C-alpha cells in the first residue's frame, strides 16, 4: 500500500499565479480531506468529500480556493490567484475507518 | 478559538524524565485521537479513545479519555530522544463527521 500520495512536495510560486495541488487517496477509502497547516493556526480542515461528493467546504478561506474530486482516485485543490498568506503546508488525508495523511505539499507564495 | 486546547505548547525535557500532555475542550467528543508528526511528514495516528474513562497503553505511552469525553491526556514514561516530535490531539465533535485538531505540543527530548 503506497499510502496517500500528494504532489508536488514543494511548490514555490509568485503572487497572482494559479497553484494546483494533487492527491491520490488510498484505494477503497470513501472519505477524502484537505487540511492546511501553519504555525499560527495549526491544522485546519478546508474541505472534505464522501464518495467523491463535497460534503463540507466551510473551511475554504475564500473564493480563490476550489477543490474537486472527479473520481475515487484523484482530487485537486486549486488556488487562483495565489497570495503570500496562502503559504502553508497542505495535507490530504483519506479514511475508511482511520485517517491516513499524505506527506503534504509545502507551498510558498512570494 | 480552538475547539481543542493543548498544553503545554512546547516542552523540552531530559531523557529519562516523565511528562504529560493535555488536551481539553468544552465540547463533548464521540472520540479523541492522538497523532505524532515528524518534520516533513503528515500526522500519524497513535491511538483512538472512544469510551469515557478509557485508558490505552502503547509501550511507554499512556492515553486517557476523560469521563465526560471532553478531555484527554498523553503520558510518556522515561522519555527517549526518539519521542521528539509534534503531538496532536484530534477529535470528532458529537454529531459531526469532521476531525478537528488541537494546536499541538512540540516535544523535545534531550539526550
Amino acid at each position: 500500500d503506497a499510502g496517500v500520495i500528494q504532489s508536488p512536495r514543494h511548490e514555490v510560486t509568485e503572487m497572482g499565479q494559479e497553484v494546483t495541488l494533487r492527491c491520490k487517496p488510498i484505494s477503497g477509502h470513501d472519505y477524502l480531506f484537505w487540511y492546511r497547516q501553519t504555525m499560527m493556526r495549526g491544522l485546519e480542515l478546508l474541505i472534505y468529500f464522501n464518495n467523491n461528493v463535497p460534503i463540507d467546504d466551510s473551511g475554504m478561506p475564500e473564493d480563490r480556493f476550489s477543490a474537486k474530486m472527479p473520481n475515487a482516485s484523484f482530487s485537486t485543490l486549486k488556488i487562483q490567484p495565489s497570495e503570500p498568506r496562502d503559504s502553508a503546508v497542505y495535507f490530504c488525508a483519506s479514511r475508511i475507518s482511520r485517517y491516513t495523511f499524505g506527506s503534504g505539499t509545502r507551498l510558498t507564495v512570494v | 478559538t480552538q475547539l481543542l486546547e493543548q498544553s503545554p505548547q512546547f516542552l523540552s525535557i531530559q531523557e529519562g524524565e516523565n511528562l504529560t500532555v493535555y488536551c481539553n475542550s468544552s465540547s463533548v467528543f464521540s472520540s479523541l485521537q492522538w497523532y505524532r508528526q515528524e518534520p516533513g511528514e503528515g500526522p500519524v495516528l497513535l491511538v483512538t479513545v472512544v469510551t469515557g474513562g478509557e485508558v490505552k497503553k502503547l509501550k511507554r505511552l499512556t492515553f486517557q479519555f476523560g469521563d465526560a469525553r471532553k478531555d484527554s491526556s498523553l503520558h510518556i514514561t522515561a522519555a527517549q530522544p526518539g519521542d521528539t516530535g509534534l503531538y496532536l490531539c484530534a477529535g470528532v465533535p458529537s454529531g459531526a463527521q469532521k476531525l478537528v485538531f488541537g494546536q499541538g505540543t512540540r516535544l523535545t527530548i534531550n539526550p
Side-chain angles (χ1 to χ4, degrees), chain B:
Chain B
T1 303
Q2 287 283 330
L3 197 55
L4 286 167
E5 296 284 345
Q6 281 188 245
S7 62
Q9 289 190 28
F10 299 93
L11 183 59
S12 180
I13 62 171
Q14 293 302 118
E15 181 177 0
E17 293 183 4
N18 302 330
L19 67 107
T20 302
V21 175
Y22 300 93
C23 176
N24 295 295
S25 178
S26 58
S27 301
V28 175
F29 285 81
S30 54
S31 66
L32 276 180
Q33 301 175 0
W34 285 92
Y35 291 78
R36 181 174 161 209
Q37 185 179 15
E38 300 199 32
E41 297 297 329
V44 175
L45 180 66
L46 295 174
V47 77
T48 300
V49 285
V50 178
T51 307
E54 182 176 5
V55 176
K56 281 192 174 179
K57 291 194 173 184
L58 191 66
K59 296 184 180 178
R60 293 177 292 101
L61 279 60
T62 301
F63 305 85
Q64 185 160 7
F65 199 10
D67 291 340
R69 291 188 290 135
K70 293 182 178 182
D71 57 271
S72 181
S73 64
L74 158 60
H75 182 80
I76 301 180
T77 303
Q80 304 292 313
D83 296 327
T84 294
L86 179 66
Y87 288 82
L88 296 153
C89 71
V92 180
S94 291
Q97 278 286 346
K98 51 190 182 183
L99 189 67
V100 295
F101 281 84
Q103 284 278 67
T105 294
R106 195 165 295 278
L107 176 64
T108 302
I109 309 300
N110 303 299

Side-chain angles (χ1 to χ4, degrees), chain A residues 89-106:
Chain A
V89 182
Y90 290 80
F91 287 102
C92 174
S94 68
R95 187 202 94 185
I96 191 163
S97 59
R98 54 181 282 171
Y99 287 75
T100 301
F101 283 78
S103 296
T105 295
R106 181 174 294 275

